[in-house]
Amino acid sequence: SCGVQRPLNGPWQDPIPSSPQVDIGSIPKPPYALKIEDFVFYEEPEILTDAQRRLHSDVEFLSSGACDGREFGTRGCVEASRHIYRKMQETGLNPRIQTFRCNERIGRNIIGEIPGTGKDFIILMPYYDGIGNINGNFYPGADSNASGIAALLEIARRLSDGGRCSIVVAALDAHYRNMSGAQALSKE
């Protein structure tokens, strides 16, 4: 059963190495992996904005064989969490990890905050886990929810200067396990 329990390593500590465990270059891309030439552009690809390139790069990585569909509790899901953690660090969010258990597996919510000057706050919280492999079929999850995480990271980059409202940026795990990541976050 999925129950929210006390964090495993202190209140928010579950260290994520700064480099991935999987060498992305050694993993063959599935034939349907995203490529820049697969997108329809109203402009030439050479003049993509930096934001478009970042969005594409994040969706491509999260949908790649390195993340293997991001099924909760798998190596691919851990690779996705590492990627999100590093991207939040690059944005200056000072991310932290909230760990929880669900069905004897460890889940990880990655949480950052953009401080505001007022007392109000906004929470942005897409999930990042996917359905992974089912009966040998790989489900990359580009639109469920790699694109949501890519958008979250880009929004965080653009809002990193802050404003009146504080913004909590949370990438949630275990959506496909009774939304256990959201439950864990709500208990904090």
Side-chain angles (χ1 to χ4, degrees), residues 11-25:
W12 293 93
Q13 300 303 313
D14 181 26
I16 291 182
S18 60
S19 62
Q21 298 292 315
V22 175
D23 176 13
I24 301 164

Side-chain angles (χ1 to χ4, degrees), residues 5 9 13 19 23 25 28 47 51 54 60-62 91 97 107 116 126 128 132 143-144 156 175-176 178 183 185 187:
Q5 299 177 357
N9 296 328
Q13 300 303 313
S19 62
D23 176 13
I47 56 174
R54 285 189 302 264
E60 183 177 46
F61 178 80
L62 294 169
T91 305
I97 306 299
Y128 69 90
D143 61 352
S144 184
H175 172 79
Y176 291 102
N178 297 322
Q183 291 176 23
L185 183 64
K187 302 245 191 256

Side-chain angles (χ1 to χ4, degrees), residues 79-157:
E79 288 302 320
S81 69
R82 286 186 175 110
H83 176 81
I84 296 163
Y85 186 88
R86 283 190 309 275
K87 294 296 180 172
M88 283 188 183
Q89 278 183 320
E90 289 170 11
T91 305
L93 290 176
N94 193 25
R96 57 191 185 260
I97 306 299
Q98 178 191 32
T99 56
F100 58 93
R101 286 192 188 273
C102 179
N103 295 335
E104 301 305 315
R105 292 184 179 185
I106 297 171
R108 293 167 180 81
N109 290 334
I110 301 103
I111 303 162
E113 184 177 353
I114 301 166
T117 58
K119 293 181 181 179
D120 297 330
F121 62 93
I122 298 169
I123 301 175
L124 304 173
M125 51 184 201
Y127 62 92
Y128 69 90
D129 64 311
I131 58 175
N133 285 289
I134 299 175
N135 299 324
N137 294 312
F138 171 66
Y139 294 90
D143 61 352
S144 184
N145 194 18
S147 60
I149 293 296
L152 172 81
L153 294 170
E154 189 58 32
I155 290 167
R157 283 182 192 98

